Amino acid sequence: MRSTWDGDATVISSTGGLRLEVDRLADVPRSLEAAYDVARVERQVVDRVVAARDEGVDAVVVRCMRDVGVQAAREIVEIPVVGPAQASFQVACMLGRRFSVLVTLPRSIEVVEDQIRKWGLRHRFASARALDVPVQRLHDDEDLLLDRMAEQAQAAVEHDGAHVVVLGCTAMQGAGTTVEQRLAEAGQAGVPAVEPLSLSVRLAGVLAQLGLSGSSRTHPAAAEFIRQAQWPRSEWASLPPLPEDPSTHQFLNVERTASDPR
């Protein structure tokens, strides 16, 4: 298993027997806090996932809570490709009724909200709270960082109704236990703090061991679409008709009914 993460002994030592290879991309920003940087990096991520697959890697974890390139990579390779945001949000839903996410900067709140809508988790989402510290400065003062994380986690539980807290940056790896302890000291014992990176590494290993990967219905092979786009126009007439999709008809009927003046 390989990730774009640059290394952390606590994760490597806790992989449960998995062999973990680390592959850091060259000539990319140290953090992805702007959409522009994400657009610059996404193609490189997908190319490295393909290369990892070709080298015999069984699963890939992309170390970024924006899940950069994950959806595109799933259309190219048949091995599990895990994004830490989707993985941690889904697991948080298993652990509690509602969850909150601790992010670095206020601009990341909207990123989380967009992910929540995309994955259909709005009814399980309590809040996203910002520490107001950029990724590259997270470890300048770790005591201050832990204080802010504990403060925002407590606010998420007491004011937002969170039952689970997700650490919203993979650079926060290793702080989960402290956040849980601080919550317990504040009278909120038993609230899990999910660390997305270590969770994603283990989840990727489980998926690989079970032989599970992305559905071709959700992530149709990009190569097939490219092949179809290159067909001569004369061949389209010989293609079989598309199968009827009841959900499409249902949507159209709802739209038509809603706009019908009668």
Side-chain angles (χ1 to χ4, degrees), residues 126-172:
S127 63
R129 287 181 165 267
L131 307 180
D132 205 20
V133 180
V135 173
Q136 296 186 46
R137 305 299 298 272
L138 278 177
H139 298 289
D140 287 0
D141 187 336
E142 295 198 357
D143 290 336
L144 175 61
L145 172 66
L146 291 172
D147 287 343
R148 289 194 179 182
M149 293 178 70
E151 175 186 316
Q152 293 301 326
Q154 184 177 347
V157 173
E158 296 180 354
H159 300 301
D160 305 334
H163 294 189
V164 181
V165 174
V166 175
L167 308 190
C169 177
T170 56
M172 298 176 186

Side-chain angles (χ1 to χ4, degrees), residues 65 89 101-104 108 112 149 166-172 194 196:
M65 287 294 282
F89 294 175
V101 184
L102 305 184
V103 299
T104 54
S108 297
V112 171
M149 293 178 70
V166 175
L167 308 190
C169 177
T170 56
M172 298 176 186
V194 177

Side-chain angles (χ1 to χ4, degrees), residues 150 183 213 248:
L183 285 172
S213 188
T248 301

Side-chain angles (χ1 to χ4, degrees), residues 228-246:
Q228 292 180 9
Q230 294 173 341
W231 284 344
R233 182 178 297 273
S234 60
E235 294 186 17
W236 282 98
S238 63
L239 293 177
L242 292 173
E244 291 191 358
D245 185 345

Side-chain angles (χ1 to χ4, degrees), residues 56-98:
V57 170
D58 297 315
V60 177
V61 175
V62 177
R63 191 212 178 195
C64 180
M65 287 294 282
R66 285 178 176 257
D67 287 5
V68 179
V70 170
Q71 183 171 346
R74 288 172 178 167
E75 294 184 356
I76 302 295
V77 301
E78 303 77 26
I79 60 175
V81 181
V82 176
Q86 186 178 29
S88 58
F89 294 175
Q90 297 285 359
V91 169
C93 290
M94 296 170 56
L95 300 178
R97 184 177 294 273
R98 289 179 296 276

